[in-house]
Amino acid sequence: MTTGGRIIGWGTALPDKVLTNDDLSAMMDTNDQWITERTGIKRRHVGGSTSSLSVASAQRAIAMAGVDPSSIDVLVLSTTTPDRTVPATSATVQNALGLRCGAFDVNAACSGFVYAYVIAHGLLSIGAKRALVIGTDTLSRITDWSDRGTAILFADGSGACVVDATADSGQLLGWDLDADGSLEHLLYAEVGGSIHMDGKEVFRRAVRIMVDSAHKSLAKAGLGVDDVALCVPHQANARIIDAACRQLGIPLERTAVVLHETGNTSSASIPLALFDAADRGRLNDGDIVLMVGFGAGMTAASAVVEWRKP
Ligand code: ACO
């Protein structure tokens, strides 16, 4: 039997500073009604650094897991907004947490947390015993606050979990990682620059690639959409989530949504929605969870997980 993994603790962190749609309306030519109708976002949190938010969410995850930090033998940090170009932000986080283990960053934009979670399972399958997986972004640092086409969407946040190796095949039942670099021009930021985006085209492609990736993961797990108790999509835009879930045939009652409170936090988006659902008691033992994301690259990633309460 292949060694698998199981989440034994999680934590999230959001900066204290909140920007409402009305706050943005005072900064640029936009309004609450437009943002709400076109995106579903009402407010977002901004501030802090990728390392400080990562440390905060990871400390909560480690405390919930009730484990000694020294027992963690690999740290995978998903971020598209590192504190510095060199070294990887995971080095700063590892030191602040007092870990002594392999640590590295993964950048797959908004699909990054699922990439990191799947990579951690690969390491568990070849001998790692305990992984810390973090998804953090501080997109406010690379947002052009004079561009109403992007500034209304992006924000900051972090989500982390401790994943233990299991003697059995664990809770990851199926996964899919994808990328199409020929579409990189649709969403990019040069080094030191801010995000440029063809919003309409990203929207159109996002729905298709999320649905495609979800079907691939479910097929690998030998499951269908009717088996999914909770779908946790990337929190980019409520209309993208609606369209993708409609095409998948998953009703919104079985979908985790926090973006009205968080905006698009990229790597933090899926863990913020997943752990919010878990904290609210929406997940029971044996529930099938489908995480599905898309992002710049254009990347896509999904994972089918059998939920087990820690
Ligand atoms: N406030 C008011 N009006 C606005 C705003 C705004 N913030 N932004 C645009 N408008 C105007 C436009 O100028 C346009 O006016 P016009 O008709 O007079 O020309 C009108 O509103 C419609 O603009 P569209 O761009 O067509 O609006 P759309 O419905 O496409 O929504 C949005 C724009 C919200 C950006 C949408 O395209 C979207 O969400 N796309 C996906 C973006 C996304 O998910 N990105 C993240 C990817 S993940 C990652 O890796 C970071």
Side-chain angles (χ1 to χ4, degrees):
M1 187 88 65
T2 318
T3 305
R6 191 171 69 91
I7 295 173
I8 61 162
W10 59 82
T12 60
L14 291 168
D16 291 337
K17 184 175 175 188
V18 173
L19 273 182
T20 65
N21 291 347
D22 287 339
D23 292 331
L24 292 182
S25 307
M27 296 160 59
M28 62 192 80
D29 183 16
T30 190
N31 57 75
D32 175 50
Q33 188 185 351
W34 193 96
I35 302 171
T36 304
E37 286 177 5
R38 298 290 178 124
T39 73
I41 300 167
K42 296 297 284 182
R43 58 190 68 81
R44 70 284 288 146
H45 296 248
V46 294
S49 63
T50 292
S51 60
S52 63
L53 289 169
S54 299
V55 169
S57 67
Q59 280 173 334
R60 288 171 191 147
I62 292 167
M64 177 177 176
V67 300
D68 192 324
S70 66
S71 65
I72 291 167
D73 50 15
V74 65
L75 162 59
V76 192
L77 169 62
S78 161
T79 187
T80 202
T81 47
D83 285 2
R84 293 181 289 186
T85 305
V86 177
T89 305
S90 51
T92 311
V93 175
Q94 184 230 34
N95 184 46
L97 292 171
L99 311 185
R100 288 292 168 266
C101 63
F104 61 99
D105 288 7
V106 169
N107 179 355
C110 304
S111 307
F113 179 80
V114 177
Y115 264 76
Y117 178 74
V118 170
I119 290 166
H121 277 79
L123 293 166
L124 294 172
S125 77
I126 55 170
K129 298 284 179 244
R130 180 165 286 160
L132 175 60
V133 181
I134 310 175
T136 306
D137 266 305
T138 47
L139 291 179
S140 70
R141 294 190 299 116
I142 59 164
T143 297
D144 175 354
W145 290 99
S146 65
D147 173 17
R148 67 178 184 171
T150 53
I152 55 157
L153 298 172
F154 299 127
D156 309 335
S158 178
C161 57
V162 178
V163 188
D164 260 13
T166 54
D168 60 13
S169 54
Q171 68 180 164
L172 178 60
L173 307 182
W175 56 270
D176 172 62
L177 305 180
D178 197 11
D180 181 353
S182 72
L183 300 175
E184 64 176 3
H185 58 283
L186 295 180
L187 180 54
Y188 65 92
E190 301 295 351
V191 173
S194 53
I195 298 174
H196 295 264
M197 179 179 75
D198 179 344
K200 268 200 186 316
E201 198 52 29
V202 171
F203 192 120
R204 208 171 62 79
R205 306 245 179 199
V207 175
R208 197 188 311 153
I209 65 177
M210 282 172 84
V211 170
D212 181 55
S213 185
H215 280 310
K216 284 181 185 157
S217 281
L218 284 166
K220 279 190 192 165
L223 296 170
V225 285
D226 292 341
D227 298 306
V228 175
L230 188 73
C231 176
V232 186
H234 170 42
Q235 311 285 301
N237 182 317
R239 291 188 296 144
I240 293 176
I241 294 174
D242 287 356
C245 288
R246 201 173 320 114
Q247 283 192 27
L248 280 169
I250 298 176
L252 282 175
E253 306 85 75
R254 289 197 270 131
T255 304
V257 179
V258 294
L259 97 162
H260 49 288
E261 294 290 335
T262 63
N264 179 349
T265 57
S266 194
S267 294
S269 145
I270 285 181
L272 285 174
L274 173 64
F275 301 138
D276 174 79
D279 288 338
R280 287 175 193 274
R282 287 183 71 186
L283 290 172
N284 297 307
D285 267 359
D287 277 356
I288 299 299
V289 177
L290 168 65
M291 298 185 244
V292 57
F294 70 94
M298 281 188 74
T299 57
S302 56
V304 177
V305 170
E306 184 181 1
W307 190 256
R308 289 278 161 223
K309 284 187 179 161

